[in-house]
Amino acid sequence: MSGQQDVAEKDFVMPSLAEVRAEAGTVDTRAVLANGVDAHPVESRPAIALALWEDTSISTAELKAAAEAKCAERMPQLHTFVPLYTTNHCDSECKMCSMRKGNARMERKFSGRDEIIEQLEILYKHEGVRGVGFLTGEYEDKYTRLSTAFRIGWAIRTALDMGYERVYFNIGSMEPDEIDVLGEWIRAEDPVTMCVFQETYDRGAYTRFMGKTSAGVPKADYDRRVVSFDRWLDAGFRYVNPGVLVGLHDDLSSEIVNLVAHGAHLHQRGAVVDLSVPRMRPAMSSRDSTRVDDENYLRMMSVVAFTCPEQRLVLTTREPQEFQDEALGLAGVISPGSPDVAPYRADSQARNEETTSQFLVADLRRPRTSSAGSSPRARR
Amino acid sequence: MSGQQDVAEKDFVMPSLAEVRAEAGTVDTRAVLANGVDAHPVESRPAIALALWEDTSISTAELKAAAEAKCAERMPQLHTFVPLYTTNHCDSECKMCSMRKGNARMERKFSGRDEIIEQLEILYKHEGVRGVGFLTGEYEDKYTRLSTAFRIGWAIRTALDMGYERVYFNIGSMEPDEIDVLGEWIRAEDPVTMCVFQETYDRGAYTRFMGKTSAGVPKADYDRRVVSFDRWLDAGFRYVNPGVLVGLHDDLSSEIVNLVAHGAHLHQRGAVVDLSVPRMRPAMSSRDSTRVDDENYLRMMSVVAFTCPEQRLVLTTREPQEFQDEALGLAGVISPGSPDVAPYRADSQARNEETTSQFLVADLRRPRTSSAGSSPRARR
């Protein structure tokens, strides 16, 4: 094994922000903007991202145009997948999330075999959707975690067998035995993407929102979460989707540095990487979060899209239609849908009830964009 | 709806032992023995059972011969199913059981898709088995219970699709939403038997062994457990298997009365009933149980078999071979196998390790009897 591989197969370690900042000081931002990030192999991607983010002489519009030009080179320009929450039970206590265990106002639901198949058929046949993402809460008990991996593994297999071309799953951190149970349902080459958003890379903010491990809260385990992708790649799988929940941590600079570093690490290990940077949405009784304005949010997306050109940003219908339209050129994946449990109907709008949803979306329109062009409502 | 149906569709209520005892005093035991229980519709089955059990003028050998004659009228004389433990994780704290949550010496295991299929294939192809019983622990959390119902529903469907002709499941008490999740995998007419052994019908002994509900121990809920079959029948299913763990409660008279009453209630509701009366086996650190001797145990089996002629007693390899041979004529189902997790091997004896098994069996021989005569080792 070469030294290069040795490095690449180690677990992700967050860079030192001070070192990245020092390196960022050496970046010629104008040159990078003109020639692209790959023309500057001397500097690391996190340093380039930070330099672009902080260089106020470069307008957001300029950054956005450069990023959009990069995104336009990818084919297809957009993938689509629709989220499918298979339950809103959760053992975690994340302050910003309505599904948190302590939220007594949440009416808990669970989709069995028939409902999962029905939802997949509605999306496939009525919406022309060819991508789906399965979601659950995160659970503390080992048996419950294994049982969840089993059910979601079955759901993924069912979707692939039905003809879905791209499947995501977002069920919390995963340990090797849990990956084994889920992985038995698929082949290594199947287009199945693990989503484990770190939410914030800042340990202080993470603990403030996700809680302490001593309380038996599964998502509180920062370290288990941050290496879940490495375990997925160890098991022979390829598709990953890290993410930051924008608004949890005030310091966007450090979030950008760490997200870009995480994506670069996974890319080096041979992974196909999507990146999620959802912005906080209203959830029942959530407090203590920051509203990042459109300007800063678009700048963040632009910097990430530009510095990680082979990695696709996921845009969701959390955002209102007007913002989606503005950000669409920065995205590589569009994910329209509802964070309610089994919300899709053949003959009416998807449900998004406050008592059963993770949060309220801004836009409940049906999927209208599809990479395969197979949606009756495809607009490009 | 007729009054008869009204009565039949109520939940099981345990009879008053004093009333049954009074009624038992009116039973002509010799006449019953000569003519069979169905020739005496005036007296209830529990009263007849108690009268036969307590009439010392009738020897156990005589009772056994009469019961064997009844059993010999049924076709086929024996069904077979092999237990398949799919995990040894459990949230309960039953004192007599090695799988109890607090047993730190138990090494916890979980079978995923591949292992369940592999075990089913070994039993089907190498052993010629056509009946299987899936087991788990019992879980406290609603989501975990639903997830278990999902996985076992899938396992049942997989076994039926593979050609199994009879499937049992023993996963603890079940509530209606849990039955719905499991039931989605099968049709009402599929030969799928719910096993929820009450273990003991005595509330004092039950609490002593299974614990108190206030402690968050799922099996401690006596009332939820005892009506689980009624919920299963409500959902349109037919096959049930109540049981007593012989040795938990000293008073065998009351256990016999209640088990026979439970079977009679379910039979009246239209169920196909099997009855289990396993005798305590050594389990890690189990105490506080009574050893019922062979004579009393055979008498108990004889009384139950005679008074419930259409209900099949299940005989397992918990018992040594010599006892099995003696009791075989009283049984309608034989269930050979190991209470270890996924213990079957194509080329060697089943595993039954103390660190991973619910208990240690007396007889690890392969299945040797099959109702379908399809086993290569069938002996009748």
Side-chain angles (χ1 to χ4, degrees), chain A residues 113-114 143-144 148 154 184, chain B residues 113-114 143-144 148 150 184:
Chain A
R113 174 192 180 280
D114 288 357
Y143 172 78
T144 309
T148 299
W154 172 86
E184 286 179 355
Chain B
R113 175 192 179 280
D114 288 358
Y143 173 79
T144 308
T148 299
F150 181 95
E184 286 178 354

Side-chain angles (χ1 to χ4, degrees), chain A residues 99-154:
Chain A
M99 282 167 55
R100 66 188 182 280
K101 191 172 193 173
N103 183 3
R105 290 159 61 206
M106 176 115 306
E107 181 193 322
R108 304 293 171 172
K109 302 179 80 175
F110 178 96
S111 294
R113 174 192 180 280
D114 288 357
E115 192 164 72
I116 290 173
I117 289 175
E118 175 212 54
Q119 291 286 300
L120 289 174
E121 285 179 345
I122 289 171
L123 292 173
Y124 193 92
K125 294 178 185 165
H126 293 267
E127 310 287 359
V129 168
R130 294 296 177 267
V132 67
F134 296 104
L135 294 98
T136 66
E138 180 161 352
Y139 309 97
E140 174 67 9
D141 174 69
K142 173 54 78 178
Y143 172 78
T144 309
R145 298 173 68 90
L146 292 167
S147 298
T148 299
F150 181 95
R151 186 170 64 105
I152 297 305
W154 172 86

